[in-house]
């Protein structure tokens, strides 16, 4: 049975915008279970660029999230939620389950994201499949940032990062 304090927390932003960093901070404070699609994909031996796998994994993590929320466990989804329709679907489902729903949007200049990714590539973490400037320039044209009107449809965050 969902408790009134149960929350679905959506984190929204492009790669390297700080989603995982924020999710770790919020998970302790809310407290919530963090579902990290990249971590799961890596641990399951998948290629992080395998889009079909990512879609199937995301679906399963969303099914699991709904089960956890219905049982009163808050959940943080730290993948990017680039599309308005994805955020709408999750917000409406959370409302239907009777739980709160927060949106944390991480906005950073594209040049800053590219620099962070370059640093991460240099650290060895992503050397097998580095994110390049060209990727970021394309992603920025696909990403649908939430506007003021959309942000007001969500609950006020109970914890900041
Ligand atoms: N507010 C910040 N200011 C500066 N650097 C940051 C900030 N937040 C995160 N970083 C750094 O940027 C890099 C990316 O952060 P993080 O892994 O949290 O991003 P992400 O959005 O989860 O990325 P991805 O989409 O690739 O999973 C890390 O090296 C992190 O230390
Ligand atoms: Mg991350």
């Amino acid at each position: 049975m969902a408790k009134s304090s149960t929350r679905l927390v959506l984190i929204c932003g492009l790669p390297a915008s700080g989603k995982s960093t924020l999710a770790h901070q919020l998970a302790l404070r809310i407290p919530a279970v963090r579902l990290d699609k990249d971590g799961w994909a890596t641990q399951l031996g998948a290629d992080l660029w395998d889009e079909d796998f990512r879609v199937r994994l995301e679906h399963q993590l969303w099914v699991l999230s709904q089960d956890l929320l219905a049982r009163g466990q808050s959940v943080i989804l730290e993948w990017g939620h680039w599309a308005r329709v994805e955020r709408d679907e999750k917000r409406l489902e959370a409302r239907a389950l009777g739980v709160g729903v927060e949106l944390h949007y991480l906005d950073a200049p594209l040049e800053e994201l590219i620099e962070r990714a370059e640093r991460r590539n240099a650290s060895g973490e992503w050397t097998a499949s580095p994110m390049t400037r060209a990727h970021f320039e394309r992603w920025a044209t696909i990403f649908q940032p939430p506007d003021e009107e959309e942000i007001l449809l969500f609950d006020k965050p109970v914890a900041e990062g």
Side-chain angles (χ1 to χ4, degrees):
M1 182 77 156
K3 293 177 289 182
S4 60
S5 59
T6 307
R7 313 224 121 199
L8 171 65
V9 178
L10 304 181
I11 307 204
C12 174
L14 282 165
S17 58
K19 300 182 300 295
S20 297
T21 305
L22 176 63
H24 276 98
Q25 293 165 350
L26 294 176
L28 294 171
R29 288 177 199 181
I30 289 178
V33 168
R34 200 171 47 81
L35 295 179
D36 166 14
K37 188 171 59 173
D38 290 341
W40 279 56
T42 306
Q43 292 303 318
L44 291 170
D47 179 342
L48 286 172
W49 298 86
D50 179 344
E51 196 50 36
D52 285 350
F53 182 84
R54 292 174 73 83
V55 168
R56 283 184 278 123
L57 176 58
E58 188 171 311
H59 175 72
Q60 285 308 118
L61 292 177
W62 177 229
V63 170
L64 173 61
S65 301
Q66 291 171 81
D67 205 3
L68 291 168
L69 292 166
R71 291 157 194 268
Q73 172 61 59
S74 295
V75 173
I76 302 175
L77 301 183
E78 65 173 77
W79 57 86
H81 299 103
W82 289 14
R84 169 77 192 249
V85 65
E86 290 175 67
R87 303 188 293 263
D88 283 346
E89 180 205 16
K90 294 193 170 67
R91 192 186 72 251
L92 295 173
E93 185 60 38
R95 298 283 181 226
L97 288 168
V99 302
V101 56
E102 299 179 9
L103 180 67
H104 293 252
Y105 171 40
L106 291 163
D107 191 13
L110 204 58
E111 288 305 317
E112 166 75 20
L113 299 181
I114 292 167
E115 274 174 34
R116 286 186 202 169
E118 281 168 356
R119 281 201 295 273
R120 195 159 58 174
N121 293 340
S123 77
E125 205 184 327
W126 278 73
T127 38
S129 44
M131 292 182 183
T132 64
R133 170 177 291 276
H135 287 123
F136 279 93
E137 286 175 352
R138 183 160 49 82
W139 293 335
T141 67
I142 302 168
F143 182 69
Q144 298 175 329
D147 58 18
E148 268 304 305
E149 170 267 329
E150 183 185 352
I151 287 167
L152 290 173
L153 299 173
F154 288 83
D155 295 314
K156 203 169 165 306
V158 287
E160 297 296 341

